Amino acid sequence: MDSSGYEIRIASEEKGYGLFVRKAYKEGDIIFEEKPLVCCQFAWNANYKYLACDYCLRPLESAEENARRLTGKNDLILPFPECCETEKDLITECEDCGTKFCGIECQMDAWDRYHKSLCLQTRQINERHPLIQLQETWKQMHYPPETATIMLLARMVAMVNQASEKQSIISIFSEFCNRTTNDTQEITHNLLGEKFIGQIDVLRQMMQKALNTESVPKWFTPDGFQGLLALVGTNGQGIGTSAFSRWVKNVSALELPNDQRIQVDKNIDRIYDEMDEVVGTFLNCEGSGLYITQSKLNHSCVPNATVEFPYSNNILTIRAARDIKPQEEICITYLDECQLERSRHSRQKALSSLYLFSCKCAKCEEQVCDPDITSDEDDDEDI
């Protein structure tokens, strides 16, 4: 018998499936935790030396190294080194290609799931290698801030190639929404927009050259490949990890004399201000993952649950943002905090472009007669 505190069932004809709680949850309660089916660090994020485990995205820098890089101050010293969670003595790397992992367990899991296929093809690393060219081509098409990466698709193909039951893993991927358009509202997914039309077939052909795609021929028809891009774009959950933020959390939990606490907090604020001057909001090791259960959660602009990554790796936590009653649907937001504060028009534009639907949550219905958009929002939007 399923003992989880939630169940998956049809939310509505328009929304499809949703997750509903079987019991009451208090604000702050964890509803469930989940590891991804597959995840990958963003290409530009890795290029800018955000060092992360290739499998779980755990940071490979110490908190002090992280803070030094993000502030540009190589002489910065962090107190309480025992609050840093990075265990550098456990870091391993693939002998063939040099890919780094936070430990032997992640290295072995990566090898068993996808890295055996990809490593064999990157054993002789050079700029002309098809896999390297594929990633570089993607980077020139998709500049930061990133929301997807072509290497997530490569890992999906590799997972099928390495699976003993290939049809089983293909079936799991087929459960994710992969619509390229919303025919009712004539919406096309952002990754398949007009500016990418001439580039999509280039990526498809490059992937066929770089990978063994015989196990998934339907994925590499023109329509199938567009569906694959839409699957990643629609279902990909952003992942963010940070050695420094974990250090801050652990330092904040220390019992310190009041005067020392005040000084420590001031220093932390100062470091964050210095980071902001150098890298702005790009503080984390960032990537994207596909989560089977989380992908069933619907959006609301007034969500009753939040997505968190409390362990600074790819393990996702869904936590109640307020008290939730039995049989209530669990809803998260697909937008970031800044987007949530924008007008209804701006939110709808983001959701239709990235997720192919128009939101009809309580907030959007209440604001249906509000002015569409401010000039500032119109200038700032880059969806």
Side-chain angles (χ1 to χ4, degrees), residues 39-41 52-58 60 99-102 106 110 114-115 118 155 314:
C39 73
C40 187
Q41 187 178 8
C53 174
D54 190 69
Y55 185 73
C56 76
L57 293 186
R58 186 183 299 277
L60 301 182
T99 300
K100 295 183 182 298
F101 302 89
C102 66
C106 277
Y114 62 81
H115 190 67
L118 300 181
R155 290 187 182 184
N314 62 10

Side-chain angles (χ1 to χ4, degrees), residues 149-168:
T149 172
I150 198 69
M151 295 310 295
L152 187 60
L153 278 69
R155 290 187 182 184
M156 292 167 63
V157 174
M159 284 178 65
V160 175
N161 288 339
Q162 291 188 209
S164 57
E165 298 290 337
K166 292 180 173 31
Q167 192 55 50
S168 176

Side-chain angles (χ1 to χ4, degrees), residues 254-300:
L254 294 176
E255 293 185 7
L256 301 174
N258 188 55
D259 57 343
Q260 187 179 11
R261 168 59 62 196
I262 292 173
Q263 188 60 46
V264 167
D265 289 346
K266 284 183 178 179
N267 286 336
I268 290 173
D269 289 342
R270 175 182 54 79
I271 292 172
Y272 272 123
D273 288 341
E274 292 170 349
M275 289 178 177
D276 185 65
E277 292 178 4
V278 177
V279 297
T281 59
F282 297 98
L283 299 177
N284 300 333
C285 297
E286 295 182 349
S288 179
L290 298 177
Y291 295 80
I292 296 174
T293 303
Q294 177 272 343
S295 70
K296 301 296 192 295
L297 293 173
N298 286 312
H299 163 85
S300 172

Side-chain angles (χ1 to χ4, degrees), residues 3 12 32 43 51 106 138 179 229 270 284 341 348 359 361:
S3 61
S12 68
F32 68 87
L51 303 177
C106 277
W138 172 269
R179 289 185 305 164
L229 284 171
R270 175 182 54 79
N284 300 333
E341 295 305 315
Q348 295 283 3
C359 182
C361 72

